[in-house]
Amino acid sequence: MSQHEVSRFGHVDLDDLPPDLRERVGAVAERSGFVPNVFRALGRRPAELRAFLDHHDALMNPPEGTASTLSKAERELVVVATSGANHCTYCVVAHGAILRIRYADPEIADRVATNPHATELPVRERAIVDLALLLARDPDRLTEAGLDAARAAGLTEEEIWDVGAITALFAMSNRLAHLTALRPNPEFFTMGR
């Protein structure tokens, strides 16, 4: 694979997407200044890209009035912890950039992705990362005691659900990134630094 390829299965450009996806992905590109490669790779299968975007948006940008109060930064913390556990370069780089921006901390994403257990975090964020890691690495070891630890750190039932749902979505995303050899956009590497 050459340095300029997006995915081992090829990709589509923004103009080649169906109109609804062109509009949706175009809005992301307008905000960020580029089209994230994940959309270019998944765009080969428009129905799957729509489903991914719908699920992503429901979890990462929930509508006002939803029961969960996880912040956008905490949601990105889950993604980076999960993606680090799954050794997903694309998601660590892409969501690491977002996490650095949301936390206004140029180091947090690298620390959480590479050595999450040694990263110093406030109690609530430690519980979020620990739950995400448990679900990403050893989901069969989840017990009521593990959930009680999250509750004791102040997470609500809805927030615990969101940590689990985000971990599950990105476990799937991480595996697709591995399958496709998805290459991070160069712009992600310097964002938030």
Side-chain angles (χ1 to χ4, degrees):
M1 184 162 69
S2 80
Q3 287 186 338
H4 301 291
E5 286 187 78
V6 171
S7 157
R8 72 168 40 110
F9 293 97
H11 66 277
V12 298
D13 290 320
L14 183 62
D15 292 339
D16 298 325
L17 290 171
D20 64 310
L21 289 172
R22 190 176 324 124
E23 181 179 331
R24 218 165 157 184
V25 173
V28 173
E30 191 173 309
R31 286 191 305 273
S32 66
F34 60 96
V35 177
N37 285 342
V38 66
F39 303 138
R40 298 174 69 207
L42 292 180
R44 295 180 62 251
R45 299 181 125 186
E48 292 175 34
L49 177 55
R50 277 185 201 94
F52 176 79
L53 287 169
D54 287 345
H55 200 175
H56 175 278
D57 290 352
L59 294 174
M60 300 302 288
N61 301 303
E64 293 291 322
T66 59
S68 175
T69 55
L70 281 182
S71 70
K72 288 182 181 249
E74 289 170 334
R75 290 169 194 277
E76 293 297 337
L77 189 62
V78 174
V79 177
V80 171
T82 299
S83 300
N86 290 322
H87 309 288
C88 179
T89 300
Y90 182 87
C91 294
V92 165
V93 171
H95 288 273
I98 299 167
L99 182 63
R100 288 190 300 269
I101 291 166
R102 296 244 160 98
Y103 269 86
D105 181 341
E107 298 177 8
I108 188 168
D110 296 334
R111 289 180 180 176
V112 169
T114 62
N115 197 358
H117 296 293
T119 301
E120 290 186 34
L121 296 167
V123 172
R124 176 181 168 84
E125 291 160 352
R126 166 58 43 213
I128 289 169
V129 168
D130 288 348
L131 181 57
L133 291 173
L134 179 61
L135 290 168
R137 292 179 175 157
D138 297 305
D140 58 318
R141 296 185 65 207
L142 179 64
T143 64
E144 200 61 35
L147 296 176
D148 285 342
R151 291 177 186 117
L155 295 176
T156 68
E157 297 299 300
E158 295 301 323
E159 290 170 337
I160 290 169
W161 177 283
D162 278 349
V163 170
I166 293 166
T167 299
L169 173 65
F170 279 90
M172 183 269 304
S173 179
N174 298 158
R175 277 144 186 84
L176 278 174
H178 284 292
L179 173 69
T180 62
L182 190 57
R183 187 178 305 276
N185 300 69
E187 294 89 343
F188 283 128
F189 287 95
T190 56
M191 291 171 62
R193 296 218 192 254

